[in-house]
Amino acid sequence: MIDQVSQRYRIQDDYEQTKPVHVVWEITLACNLKCSHCGSRAGKVRPGELTTEQCFDIIDKLQELGTREITIIGGEAFLRKDWLEIISRINNAGIECSMQTGAYNLNEKRIVAAKNAGIKNIGVSIDGLPDVHNKIRGRSDSYQHVMRCLELLKKHTIVSSVNTVITKTNQFQLEELLDEFIEKGIKNWQIQLMVAMGNAVENEHLIIQPYELIDLYDRLIKVYKRALSHNIIVQAGNNIGYYGPYEHIWRQGNDAYWTGCSAGHTTIGIEADGVIKGCPSLPTSDYTGGNIKEMSLEDIWHHGEQMKFTRYRNEEELWGNCKSCYYASSCMAGCTWTSHVLFGKRGNNPYCHHRALKLHKEGKKERIRKIKEADGVPFDYGLFEIIVEDFNGNVLEVQNPLEIQISLVPQKKDLRVPMKMEICRGCNHHVFEGTETCPHCNENIEEAKQEYELNIIAAKKAYQNLLTLMESK
Ligand code: SF4
Ligand code: SF4
């Protein structure tokens, strides 16, 4: 998994050169599961899916553009007849190939064939303990297939990871799931929140409410730390965060923090019929940059209007609580996919730790309420409004997205480069570099840093003394 992480890791040059470092490619929409949260409503083959030759051409173009990793997905990727040829071609192009799978019928023969074709990593979806997982995945024996697949991946020494979509029904099972992963020797666990797209719009009762994030993240951080003590890295998905006291932990490092959606800046999503988007999860209707059957991939990447929105965006497009947020210029309302599918426009994201905590301090909380169903096609969305209420459930405000007008015209010509941040050691919240007094806890940033460093030195000394004492006995 370390290799996979390093392939995806973005360096400054990737942003400056706008390289599609990581590509997520739906090679078919055919699927053998029927998941309650499936954004693409996968099941049947998508009309007009690309030919093998067209797929090869995409791989060659991505190689020229500087892609380092391609993750093939579906539907279920291995249901496409030429999936092994595609893996092989990616591998021969010097690009790392990984795959995400529901693992239903991903048997030993297929796993060995994928390994021989050059697959480097297989990520398997697990959405809870058996009953919950099977219900969400729409098959009573799905969990069994997942577990068998994990054993086979281990047997054939293919690097594996697991990923979990957090829902109302599995949010209290994360501890037990971790036990399962420890036993199975899993080293990498990716988590993300369920998003209101596709099938999830009809199953919105499964979606965590924004006000529940505070408790969820307090539980999750304990799971994260315990996982780490067993050498399991929990990777928080792009819709987890932002900027609460755990931000540096979610992003895997002291200096790391959320710097905004990277769709179309260093990421590409490809649909099975050749549609190109900045991110595979974004709604097709609003974020299609072009189709490779009509334009070259290079032209779509460099000039497609819908591909460029994260490169030149600014705070003008924010609204609601995100507009006045301290972190607005760095965060840009978090994950575009998560917020756009709620309101039919990006720029306001109630799925935010910082925001939930801030509202909580003011005696308020937010929830979402559906006001329109989705059309029933792949990657579609409905419409939700935000209800702000007090702790007794008295409604204080209703924010209807239809009443909000925002400007989506980029105001800047230069590429967007997020401002640098550091952590206030008084409260573990991020502040912009050069800040003297923390706006969150009023501590002097420099003094808090010095005290923190002294504490670390003292803790290290105490630990050394303890070791010496134990050795002398
Ligand atoms: S309120 Fe909006 S802009 Fe501020 S941190 Fe949260 S998601 Fe980001
Ligand atoms: S839309 Fe969300 S998932 Fe897609 S690139 Fe942006 S942050 Fe990531």
Side-chain angles (χ1 to χ4, degrees):
M1 193 61 213
I2 297 303
D3 277 344
Q4 189 199 33
V5 171
S6 65
Q7 292 297 335
R8 282 183 201 175
Y9 187 80
R10 271 69 155 179
I11 56 172
Q12 190 69 17
D13 185 58
D14 297 327
Y15 290 101
E16 285 168 7
Q17 306 287 322
T18 56
K19 279 191 203 158
V21 174
H22 183 212
V23 176
V24 180
W25 185 358
E26 169 207 284
I27 60 172
T28 180
L29 196 59
C31 194
N32 51 15
L33 294 171
K34 191 161 175 47
C35 305
S36 317
H37 51 48
C38 182
S40 63
R41 299 184 186 271
K44 292 188 183 143
V45 169
R46 202 185 263 280
E49 290 197 357
L50 298 174
T51 63
T52 309
E53 277 313 310
Q54 285 169 325
C55 290
F56 286 175
D57 193 46
I58 287 185
I59 296 163
D60 294 346
K61 296 284 174 352
L62 288 172
Q63 185 193 31
E64 284 164 24
L65 287 168
T67 294
R68 298 200 286 271
E69 183 187 348
I70 298 176
T71 303
I72 54 167
I73 61 166
E76 185 56 85
F78 64 74
L79 294 180
R80 199 184 146 114
K81 283 200 178 75
D82 56 3
W83 71 295
L84 295 170
E85 288 172 63
I86 292 173
I87 295 174
S88 194
R89 181 78 170 211
I90 294 170
N91 196 38
N92 291 339
I95 300 172
E96 187 153 308
C97 185
S98 52
M99 178 168 100
Q100 284 297 328
T101 176
Y104 197 84
N105 284 338
L106 184 51
N107 55 26
E108 189 154 17
K109 195 172 158 207
R110 286 185 167 124
I111 287 174
V112 172
K115 183 176 178 179
N116 291 338
I119 200 87
K120 293 290 184 299
N121 178 291
I122 297 187
V124 179
S125 300
I126 304 183
D127 287 333
L129 296 171
D131 284 358
V132 168
H133 174 88
N134 290 338
K135 192 156 186 213
I136 286 180
R137 295 270 151 186
R139 278 202 187 250
S140 58
D141 55 349
S142 169
Y143 191 85
Q144 218 173 298
H145 282 241
V146 166
M147 289 300 147
R148 175 77 184 130
C149 175
L150 287 173
E151 280 160 19
L152 290 169
L153 292 175
K154 198 171 171 188
K155 177 177 167 191
H156 293 286
T157 60
I158 297 177
V159 178
S160 63
S161 55
V162 290
N163 52 73
T164 301
V165 174
I166 301 178
T167 62
K168 285 253 194 195
T169 49
N170 67 19
Q171 61 166 321
F172 296 103
Q173 299 188 336
L174 301 173
E175 271 288 340
E176 280 175 85
L177 267 185
L178 176 59
D179 291 336
E180 194 75 59
F181 299 156
I182 293 168
E183 200 194 309
K184 285 276 174 308
I186 298 296
K187 292 293 165 222
N188 190 289
W189 183 13
Q190 293 160 27
I191 47 168
Q192 67 170 58
L193 300 176
M194 179 172 169
V195 173
M197 173 178 255
N199 292 346
V201 183
E202 284 94 79
N203 294 300
E204 91 271 19
H205 60 281
L206 292 174
I207 301 175
I208 300 275
Q209 284 289 351
Y211 68 85
E212 293 177 293
L213 291 180
I214 298 177
D215 290 343
L216 172 66
Y217 289 163
D218 283 348
R219 289 197 303 278
L220 204 52
I221 203 70
K222 288 184 191 144
V223 172
Y224 179 101
K225 287 177 179 168
R226 191 162 77 86
L228 207 56
S229 70
H230 290 272
N231 294 322
I232 299 174
I233 295 176
V234 178
Q235 282 193 302
N238 285 345
N239 68 5
I240 296 212
Y242 310 88
Y243 302 105
Y246 311 137
E247 178 66 17
H248 58 300
I249 303 177
W250 302 139
R251 312 286 164 224
Q252 317 282 352
N254 266 350
D255 294 332
Y257 53 93
W258 172 256
T259 53
C261 168
S262 63
H265 198 162
T266 56
T267 310
I268 284 190
I270 305 175
E271 291 185 2
D273 59 357
V275 158
I276 305 293
K277 301 184 291 190
C279 160
S281 308
L282 287 169
T284 312
S285 54
D286 305 86
Y287 289 95
T288 297
N291 189 311
I292 61 110
K293 290 175 185 163
E294 289 147 14
M295 279 170 84
S296 79
L297 182 59
E298 192 183 8
D299 278 348
I300 297 172
W301 175 247
H302 288 303
H303 309 297
E305 264 321 302
Q306 300 305 331
M307 301 298 288
K308 297 193 290 187
F309 77 94
T310 64
R311 302 179 202 168
Y312 301 101
R313 69 199 302 204
N314 58 47
E315 296 106 281
E316 289 301 309
E317 64 179 58
L318 302 188
W319 55 282
N321 278 347
C322 287
K323 180 91 182 164
S324 56
C325 173
Y326 172 78
Y327 295 110
S329 65
S330 176
C331 177
M332 296 298 296
C335 171
T336 309
W337 164 47
T338 306
S339 55
H340 192 115
V341 298
L342 289 173
F343 310 123
K345 52 172 82 71
R346 58 180 181 260
N348 186 18
N349 191 347
Y351 283 90
C352 165
H353 197 197
H354 164 68
R355 173 158 157 177
L357 288 168
K358 188 168 179 287
L359 286 169
H360 189 84
K361 267 191 195 164
E362 296 165 7
K364 298 178 196 165
K365 58 181 190 165
E366 281 180 320
R367 66 184 164 90
I368 53 163
R369 182 168 65 191
K370 186 163 65 179
I371 52 176
K372 185 176 165 288
E373 292 293 347
D375 294 337
V377 296
F379 292 114
D380 62 353
Y381 57 87
L383 209 56
F384 289 75
E385 59 188 2
I386 298 177
I387 315 282
V388 185
E389 52 193 20
D390 65 19
F391 296 155
N392 296 321
N394 298 313
V395 175
L396 306 173
E397 192 188 346
V398 178
Q399 295 169 2
N400 182 331
L402 295 173
E403 291 163 9
I404 311 285
Q405 295 296 326
I406 47 162
S407 154
L408 289 181
V409 183
Q411 307 291 308
K412 289 182 194 163
K413 291 209 174 78
D414 300 330
L415 277 176
R416 175 182 172 267
V417 181
M419 283 167 71
K420 292 213 165 99
M421 289 188 155
E422 57 185 324
I423 296 178
C424 164
R425 291 299 175 186
C427 63
N428 276 340
H429 285 73
H430 280 79
V431 295
F432 290 101
E433 206 174 62
T435 304
E436 286 181 7
T437 306
C438 176
H440 311 296
C441 69
N442 287 326
E443 287 268 350
N444 178 293
I445 301 289
E446 199 46 44
E447 285 171 14
K449 192 171 163 187
Q450 283 168 10
E451 196 181 324
Y452 171 79
E453 280 163 4
L454 286 174
N455 284 341
I456 295 274
I457 293 168
K460 277 186 184 160
K461 259 192 193 158
Y463 182 64
Q464 269 309 328
N465 290 343
L466 185 68
L467 284 183
T468 316
L469 196 69
M470 283 166 70
E471 278 166 13
S472 67
K473 281 192 176 173

